[in-house]
């Protein structure tokens, strides 16, 4: 029904930049709202940013505001997360996930269980 494939795994130095991509394969003509999540070892998974199906609306975790930009190109069926001025605390596995269609976008963004289709994850390591 929906396939999410992340790419952009890498090792980057503090203050560096990295772009993650989420290739979205959709089974309907409607575009799903997509969230980017991250999870460090031994810690809970939490949202970094979300973007609505149209790309008109976005949400960001406070810790990444001003440094991360979420965007999408629906013609290419791809959602991006541009990360700049990276900090060691950003080291984690990053996942993209599609929201349930019966949930309000801005609230569901922050609720992992409101996402029902997940990518495989990609490792990001920020270290000198």
């Amino acid at each position: 029904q929906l396939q999410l494939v992340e790419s952009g795994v890498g090792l980057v130095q503090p203050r560096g930049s990295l772009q993650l991509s989420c290739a979205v394969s959709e089974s309907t003509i409607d575009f799903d709202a997509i969230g980017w999540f991250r999870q460090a070892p031994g810690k809970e998974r939490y949202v970094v940013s979300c973007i609505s199906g149209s790309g008109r609306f976005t949400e960001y975790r406070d810790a990444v505001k001003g440094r991360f930009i979420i965007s999408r190109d629906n013609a290419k069926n791809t959602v991006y997360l541009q990360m700049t001025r990276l900090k060691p605390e950003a080291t984690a596995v990053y996942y993209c996930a599609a929201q349930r269609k019966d949930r309000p976008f801005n609230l569901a963004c922050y609720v992992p269980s409101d996402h029902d289709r997940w990518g495989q994850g990609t490792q990001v390591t920020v270290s000198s």
Side-chain angles (χ1 to χ4, degrees):
Q1 294 180 346
L2 180 65
Q3 184 66 249
L4 302 170
V5 180
E6 300 96 335
S7 62
V9 61
L11 173 63
V12 60
Q13 293 188 347
R15 305 185 190 90
S17 299
L18 184 67
Q19 184 180 69
L20 303 182
S21 298
C22 176
V24 182
S25 180
E26 301 177 353
S27 61
T28 72
I29 61 173
D30 293 329
F31 297 107
D32 294 299
I34 300 293
W36 280 102
F37 295 76
R38 67 187 181 193
Q39 185 172 25
K43 298 185 178 181
E44 295 184 357
R45 186 177 302 181
Y46 60 88
V47 71
V48 174
S49 183
C50 292
I51 189 166
S52 64
S54 67
R56 180 178 178 184
F57 304 103
T58 59
E59 295 280 341
Y60 294 94
R61 184 179 184 87
D62 286 344
V64 307
K65 288 180 178 177
R67 297 186 296 111
F68 289 14
I69 299 293
I70 191 170
S71 63
R72 69 191 301 161
D73 185 342
N74 285 341
K76 297 181 178 179
N77 294 319
T78 303
V79 177
Y80 305 95
L81 184 67
Q82 179 65 45
M83 306 183 292
T84 63
R85 292 184 286 141
L86 282 162
K87 302 177 180 179
E89 305 93 89
T91 296
V93 176
Y94 285 70
Y95 302 86
C96 61
Q99 285 185 17
R100 298 179 183 272
K101 293 184 180 295
D102 60 347
R103 299 290 193 273
F105 163 73
N106 58 340
L107 297 179
C109 175
Y110 300 95
V111 183
S113 63
D114 279 349
H115 298 73
D116 60 358
R117 297 168 182 174
W118 293 79
Q120 83 286 354
T122 187
Q123 177 71 46
V124 173
T125 301
V126 184
S127 177
S128 61

